[in-house]
Amino acid sequence: MGEFALGQAVPRFEDPRLIRGGGRFADDLGLPGMVHGIVLRSQYAHARVLNIDTSRALAAPGVLAVLTGKDWAESGFADLPVARGRKKRDGSPMYSPRFPALVQDKVRWVGDYVAFIVAETRFQALDAAEMIDVTYEQLPANVVTGEAPDEGKPLVWDDCPNNISFVHLEGDKAKTEAAFAKADHIVRRKFIINRVTAATMEPRACVGQYDSAADRYTIHTTLQRAIHYRGQLARVLKIPESKLHVIAGDIGGSFGMKSGVYNEVGLVLLASKMVGRPVKWTSTRSEAFLSDAQARDNVTEAALALDKDGRFLGLHVKTIANVGAYLQPGGDGGATSNLGTLAGVYTTPAIHVDVTAVFTNTNPMRPYRGNGRPEAAYVLERIVDLAARELKMDPVEIRRRNLIPPDAMPYKTPLKFVYDSGEFEKGMNLVLEMSDWAGFEKRRAESRKNGKLRGIGLSNSIEKAAAPGFEGAEIRFDRSGTVTILSGAVTQGQGHETIFKQLVCDRLGVKPDEVHYVQGDTDAVFFGEGTGGSRTATVAGSALHLAAEKIVVKAHKIAAKMLGVDDIDFKDGIFKSRTTNSSLTIGEVARGSTNPKNLPDDMEPGLIATAVYANELMNYPNGSHVCELEIDEDTGQVEIVRYNVVDDVGTVLNPLLLKGQIHGGVAQGIGQMLMEDLTYDTSTGELLAGSFVDYAMPHADNFCAIEVKSNPVPTLTNPLGVKGAGEAGCVGALPAVANALADALSIFGIDDVPMPATSARIWKMIQSAKAQKVAAE
């Protein structure tokens, strides 16, 4: 409808409320009689717990309870959810250990859960935590991913040989080996994808309340899938879902990290039941580094087989993936769920992937923006660039020779994906034009005159989005003719409210200020799955689209009865007779729908519709990125000077929000490639990057303007023609920046820069290359 129709760059409706301080986050909640909880965490990466003495803490002022692993075990609650269903290399079941909310015998990472203190104030709980006397027997720690499965390395779990949780194989090994056997060129490289954390703007928090009169629990917390979350948590509490009310308010970022059921949620509910009052826990920033699930962290050996003309024949990838000390649901996904991105947009006929997941004495892992897609794109696009260099080919040309053409659609890759649409060469050509790729060498020469090393990098990437699943939506017109929309999707900052209101305005002809949006409340939203994996526009949007169609069908019949005619058209919110010219707005029809005399026979009063959209086919957003950067030869400092993106996300619902999603993803990709890094002391397992003093977060001045254009090729796999957009920026950015760095440093014979490419690391590489050159002379 006009300025608010789909396709319009409508500013976010959420923002005025949020920037004025009107957000309602978990930590903002204060309930009558509420008390506070604090977690006592392990100071060791690996140790036996010999004794826990809580007597001094229990006697401290304001302290109401101190819970230990013994209390959790005796509570009757179950362990936290863990991943299941995979296998080891010999076909035996995977190793997936129990995950109690509080440990009893051992701690397995710095930050592991030892005790939970409840007091009248947070500061009293903090004081009491220091009074708990824990006797540990420190054990050797294992924190290096590539070494975790080696013989003789410390075992995180005594009954898990070589720390191997599971092995995942994908692709055709025999066909890939045959491709390598006939190859003219084989390019090999080892890549280390470092460990990062989500570092969300809002830390995790939760407020738990047990109502003894109703025998019902309520949890206010940070999450992504409220109804799905209720099901998981109900199993932990061993209660029916009807006995649990889950509420999510505003959520300040998640990127996958907040999607799991964390220990603190079970602890505040148990504590509330014990003390008879609501209990709040809120993470500090430093505590987040010790307790939030982390991401990435794998070691990959990749090999690309090519013929003499640079055409790809086969790709083999072998990965050791770190899953941390415990295997949360989804913690296995980063290593396995999105391997299809390794096929890329290329015609490589044979691919085989071998993934070994290992335990270490580090935080558990969870999906993080891209969830395996950026890692796969990085490996593929780096090995392609290295192949171009080895074969002395232009990096654009080697890609062009191997791109999947549009007339090959639908195209089945060797890694299960079936692309239904995409114009990959067109997208690449557009980004090359945007970035003035042809004029780069002139800019490189100018930079060299100024003592700078200039590099340019290209990446082509594709990913799956909206995996098969479902989502619910509801549209309710009230007696005044205004609308409430409800969705099972839960926003963490993506702009769901804006997109959903746009869709309703577009389909029903109402105004945004007549629409109220509700999410994240399991007592209000009737059905749904949630947000994650770039699924919301596809699945939740389609559910809302179907509900709107039902509204129009019913309203059409009511309007005909009210106007006494049959020849009615509906456009821009108005039902109008073609013969009498009489008309009704949809709001007037909604008001009339409450009066039975306005209704056709056998029709229920009210204008309300629900819909559940079941998504059977994934979609495949794709894009091309070009990063251009300068490196100061004397300091190693990197400056991103130009960044261009062309993305195909199908139908563009809101160009403004799309650009915001791409910008955010690119920022996270650049951040990991240049500076973000979770490092551990390899001798003790202590986390060395435990605050923003040591963990470098990118700032606005680390970026240039990011130019984004669309190359939309709508998909037929959903009613809206959309493809996922939330993770696309991150997927393409990691390899584009890496390729640009290698190009800039190629003058010194450097062809790869490990992540993170900090100034110090680059400076050392330059000095080493210069020293080798002098020695050779």
Side-chain angles (χ1 to χ4, degrees), residues 346 381 399 457-461 623-626 643 731-733 735-736 739:
Y346 307 117
E381 290 298 299
R399 288 173 169 84
L458 168 67
S459 74
N460 293 327
S461 59
S624 297
H625 293 221
V626 170
Y643 202 100
V731 177
N739 286 340

Side-chain angles (χ1 to χ4, degrees), residues 29 57 60 71 108 173 320 405 448 462 585 614 621 698 763:
L29 185 65
D71 297 299
R108 290 179 169 84
K173 184 177 182 180
I320 298 175
R448 196 73 189 104
I462 191 167
T585 67
W763 182 84

Side-chain angles (χ1 to χ4, degrees), residues 95-111:
Y95 188 91
S96 188
R98 293 178 51 212
F99 195 1
L102 293 169
V103 303
Q104 284 189 276
D105 58 341
K106 273 187 181 182
V107 291
R108 290 179 169 84
W109 89 87
V110 175

Side-chain angles (χ1 to χ4, degrees), residues 625-636:
H625 293 221
V626 170
C627 173
E628 193 168 327
L629 52 77
E630 284 187 331
I631 299 174
D632 188 314
E633 185 176 348
D634 294 329
T635 65

Side-chain angles (χ1 to χ4, degrees), residues 322-340:
N322 194 335
V323 295
Y326 294 86
L327 195 55
Q328 291 187 352
D332 54 338
T336 61
S337 296
N338 292 293
L339 294 173

Side-chain angles (χ1 to χ4, degrees), residues 386-408:
L386 289 164
R389 181 171 299 194
E390 189 167 312
L391 273 64
K392 296 181 172 52
M393 289 183 65
D394 178 77
V396 173
E397 178 57 28
I398 197 171
R399 288 173 169 84
R400 196 180 301 282
R401 292 186 186 187
N402 291 280
L403 287 172
I404 300 166
D407 59 11

